[in-house]
Amino acid sequence: MTSTASTAARPEVLDGNLRVRRLRRPGRTVAAALVAVCALGIAWSFATNPNLDWATFGAYLFAQLTLQGVWVTFYLTVVSMVIGVVGGTLVAVMALSDNFVLRSLANGYTALFRGTPVLVQIIFWGFIGAFFPTVTLGVPFTGVELYSAPTSSLVSATTAAILALGLNEIAYAAEIVRGGIESVDPGQREAASALGLRPATTMRRIVLPQAMRVIVPPMGNEVITMLKTSSLVSVIAGNDLMTNLQQVYSQNYKVIPLLMVASAWYLVLTALFTLVQRHLERRYGRGTLPGPSRAPRRSKGLRSRDKATDSGSSR
């Protein structure tokens, strides 16, 4: 079997009197060459286009205003996804509950936030002061106020962006988590119940670790989507990357170079989040993903015992 595997891996081997060659596919080679030529042509047209203005691109690529916007974009993405994942897990558990009230609340929340555009939600939270001019804490039905403050002083543009993106993400994350939980064999819960584990412990220690293999890939896509959706907070001046660059090109009219700057940074952040996603997929997909199998590590005690056994058998 070893010789067969090595024969299949090499492009050309001698097998007795027969010379085995790899199958040639000229059509695939021609298609790849055409695609490469087209890609090089598009890249060359971008690089030599005088309207791109590489001087402006280089001047603003690492400008302080741009880097501040990159940090705010990264911050909005991470905080919103943390809110979405934690809240989505809670809503998913509620949706799978046997309690009618919890299940109805979870389904209603998901329907509301998935059924309205995220841009509408961002604008709503950005102008929440027009709906609730003041935020008041007090004793219900008594008129006693313990704290009161204008909404505009409490909900800034960044806070409104986090609320809009995070609450919207909860609805989508809940469906991803629910699908991951339902992918786990029900026998796992039955076995945990037979061992006397409580439902909360079963969910935390048994079900969710196995569901992560199904949850991580689509949740990684949600992170990338959240990164690009954060550009919509520019409509409420959220101080993100697009907001800062829009303020610049509204004054110097260098729209294309500054949009290229934004695109470059979005590509960098996307690559960063993709690396994290790939690591998590390998981490939770061990034993199921294709790849070379590794022998389990053996403790020093076992290795020394094996050496002693080998030396005794040689005697």
Side-chain angles (χ1 to χ4, degrees):
M1 182 175 295
T2 304
S3 60
T4 304
S6 60
T7 300
R10 288 182 293 179
E12 182 176 319
V13 296
L14 289 175
D15 185 8
N17 295 326
L18 298 177
R19 184 178 295 271
V20 181
R21 294 181 180 274
R22 181 174 295 177
L23 180 62
R24 299 182 184 277
R25 296 182 174 88
R28 180 186 299 179
T29 304
V30 173
L34 291 176
V35 171
V37 170
C38 292
L40 289 175
I42 295 174
W44 178 257
S45 66
F46 269 88
T48 58
N49 193 324
N51 295 322
L52 184 55
D53 193 357
W54 287 105
T56 303
F57 177 85
Y60 284 96
L61 184 60
F62 296 103
Q64 183 178 1
L65 189 70
T66 303
L67 296 180
Q68 290 176 352
V70 171
W71 164 248
V72 173
T73 297
F74 179 83
Y75 172 77
L76 290 176
T77 302
V78 173
V79 175
S80 300
M81 283 306 303
V82 169
I83 295 174
V85 171
V86 175
T89 303
L90 179 61
V91 172
V93 174
M94 292 172 58
L96 295 173
S97 174
D98 294 332
N99 189 293
F100 174 76
V101 176
L102 295 179
R103 191 169 63 252
S104 300
L105 288 175
N107 293 333
Y109 182 94
T110 302
L112 175 63
F113 282 89
R114 289 203 307 171
T116 54
V118 63
L119 181 59
V120 173
Q121 298 176 33
I122 292 173
I123 296 175
F124 175 82
W125 285 105
F127 294 92
I128 189 66
F131 190 58
F132 293 108
T134 60
V135 176
T136 303
L137 297 178
V139 180
F141 310 111
T142 61
V144 178
E145 296 184 1
L146 302 178
Y147 175 80
S148 180
T151 304
S152 58
S153 63
L154 296 177
V155 182
S156 62
T158 303
T159 304
I162 291 175
L163 288 173
L165 296 176
L167 295 177
N168 180 76
E169 182 58 33
I170 287 176
Y172 292 92
E175 291 300 295
I176 295 175
V177 175
R178 183 180 63 83
I181 292 175
E182 291 181 340
S183 68
V184 179
D185 190 349
Q188 299 287 329
R189 296 189 185 88
E190 297 174 0
S193 177
L195 293 175
L197 296 180
R198 294 179 298 178
T201 305
T202 301
M203 180 64 65
R204 187 178 69 255
R205 302 293 298 274
I206 305 297
V207 177
L208 283 179
Q210 297 183 67
M212 288 298 291
R213 180 175 57 85
V214 179
I215 293 173
V216 168
M219 196 65 74
N221 291 334
E222 285 295 311
V223 175
I224 304 302
T225 303
M226 176 63 69
L227 171 66
K228 293 178 290 187
T229 304
S230 65
S231 63
L232 295 178
V233 305
S234 59
V235 298
I236 59 172
N239 298 322
D240 66 311
L241 178 60
M242 281 302 301
T243 301
N244 292 353
L245 294 180
Q246 280 181 352
Q247 292 175 357
V248 175
Y249 70 63
S250 64
Q251 299 176 5
N252 62 9
Y253 304 105
K254 301 288 187 179
V255 179
I256 298 301
L258 292 175
L259 288 180
M260 294 297 294
V261 170
S263 300
W265 279 110
Y266 279 118
L267 286 173
V268 170
L269 293 177
T270 300
L272 175 64
F273 286 126
T274 301
L275 290 176
V276 177
Q277 176 186 350
R278 294 290 183 264
H279 172 74
L280 292 177
E281 287 181 2
R282 289 193 298 268
R283 171 67 177 81
Y284 289 102
R286 290 180 299 181
T288 58
L289 295 178
S293 59
R294 297 180 180 179
R297 293 183 177 181
R298 308 175 71 180
S299 62
K300 295 181 179 179
L302 290 176
R303 287 198 297 266
S304 60
R305 189 183 307 170
D306 292 343
K307 291 180 180 179
T309 304
D310 294 340
S311 60
S313 61
S314 61
R315 292 176 186 175

